[in-house]
Structure formats: structure tokens, C-alpha cells
Amino acid sequence: MNPLWDYVWPVLSAGLLAGAVGGIVGFRRKRLALPLIVAALLALGAAAVWHGPLGAAGRFSSLVERDSRDALKDLEMTRVTAALHRGPLSRRLILTRPADLALDDFQTNEIARLMGQIPGVSGATWANTDSGLPLVVEGALVALGGFLVGLFLAYLLELHRRYNAQWKW
């Protein structure tokens, strides 16, 4: 499977669940503010806990770096190393080479392009200056997206409930 999907699906599920439950509670009580704020904070908290203490970021980085080492070995570039940008962890792959290894512009650009196609990598570069969006922020955005989808599903459920409530069988 794709390492990024392995990182994202629990966060998306937690956001979806928090949005659905918060929306159902909020729509039933006709007070949306407090249940939605609590549910959104729970979704963001789940994303942060999944990223750090539960070790999803470590598993993600080890899988992506192992795939990049395998790709470099297949390209017969064993002296080139690749690691994800850290501080904070992002999906940007940083490539390094020893000073005595002579590569022309075509080789450096092509290696960066090929490394950028590894699943879970947003891009590859030889410079350590561009870090990209931190992985924890991406996880929080996915959790908020799942929260909004769950909230929309709760809204549709509430519309269905209100529509059926007008009929007195």
C-alpha cells in the first residue's frame, strides 16, 4: 500500500466520526457551537496523537526512506542518500551526495524527478532549504476534511429526520 494512505486513513476516519457525532448531537439539541467545537478539537487531537505518540510519523518516514534507498539501489546510485526533511517532518525528500561524486545537471535533475515519484513523497530536491508543508499539518487538514464530510452526513441525516417528522402516520 501507499505509505501516505497508511498515514492518512486513520486520521480521516477519526475526523469523519467526530464530525458525524458532533453534528448529530448539535442538530438534535439545536445548538451547534459547542458540540462542533468539541468535535473539531477531538478530530485535531486525534490527528496529533496519531502523528506523534502512536508513531505513525516514524512508520511513514521509515517506509518512504526504505523505498527511496531501494530506488537508488535500482538506479545504481548507492553513494547518493535520500532522507525526508525533518524539523518538522515533511514529505519532501532531501538528496545528498559525496563531494567526489561527479554528476552532471541531467543526472541530478533526473534523480530528483525519479525520487519525487516514490509513493508518499511530495517532491525531491538536492537543497535542504525548501521543507514543504509539515506532515502533522497535512494530517490535521485531512482530519478537518473528514470532520466536514461527517458534518455534512449528519446534516443530511437531520434533514431526513425532519422531513419524516412532518408526517403523522
Side-chain angles (χ1 to χ4, degrees), residues 8-20 39 42-47 50 143 146-147:
V8 165
W9 79 263
V11 173
L12 181 66
S13 301
L16 185 72
L17 183 66
L42 283 174
L44 292 174
W50 176 249
F147 171 78

Side-chain angles (χ1 to χ4, degrees), residues 100-145:
D100 63 341
L101 182 62
L103 296 174
D104 61 6
D105 287 341
F106 173 76
Q107 289 173 320
T108 56
N109 292 335
E110 191 65 15
I111 291 171
R113 184 187 68 80
L114 291 173
M115 292 292 107
Q117 293 177 354
I118 293 174
V121 174
S122 65
T125 182
W126 291 92
N128 197 6
T129 56
D130 184 24
S131 64
L133 192 63
L135 191 61
V136 68
V137 173
E138 288 184 21
L141 291 174
V142 168
L144 286 177

Side-chain angles (χ1 to χ4, degrees), residues 27-165:
F27 288 128
R28 294 283 168 109
R29 293 184 179 180
K30 295 186 174 36
R31 289 185 184 182
L32 284 174
L34 185 62
L36 293 185
I37 289 171
V38 169
L41 290 176
L42 283 174
L44 292 174
V49 167
W50 176 249
H51 178 80
L54 293 180
R59 286 190 302 274
F60 174 79
S61 64
S62 66
L63 285 173
V64 169
E65 288 175 354
R66 185 194 66 205
D67 289 346
S68 65
R69 278 192 305 273
D70 292 343
L72 286 170
K73 189 186 305 180
D74 291 342
L75 293 172
E76 297 178 358
M77 291 291 193
T78 56
R79 295 181 65 197
V80 175
T81 59
L84 288 175
H85 183 273
R86 286 182 167 68
L89 180 66
S90 69
R91 295 188 306 127
R92 175 78 58 181
L93 200 62
I94 306 298
L95 302 168
T96 56
R97 65 174 182 226
D100 63 341
L101 182 62
L103 296 174
D104 61 6
D105 287 341
F106 173 76
Q107 289 173 320
T108 56
N109 292 335
E110 191 65 15
I111 291 171
R113 184 187 68 80
L114 291 173
M115 292 292 107
Q117 293 177 354
I118 293 174
V121 174
S122 65
T125 182
W126 291 92
N128 197 6
T129 56
D130 184 24
S131 64
L133 192 63
L135 191 61
V136 68
V137 173
E138 288 184 21
L141 291 174
V142 168
L144 286 177
F147 171 78
L148 291 176
V149 170
L151 184 62
F152 179 69
L153 293 175
Y155 176 71
L156 291 179
L157 183 69
E158 181 64 19
L159 284 180
H160 180 71
R161 188 185 71 80
R162 287 183 186 178
Y163 179 76
N164 284 341

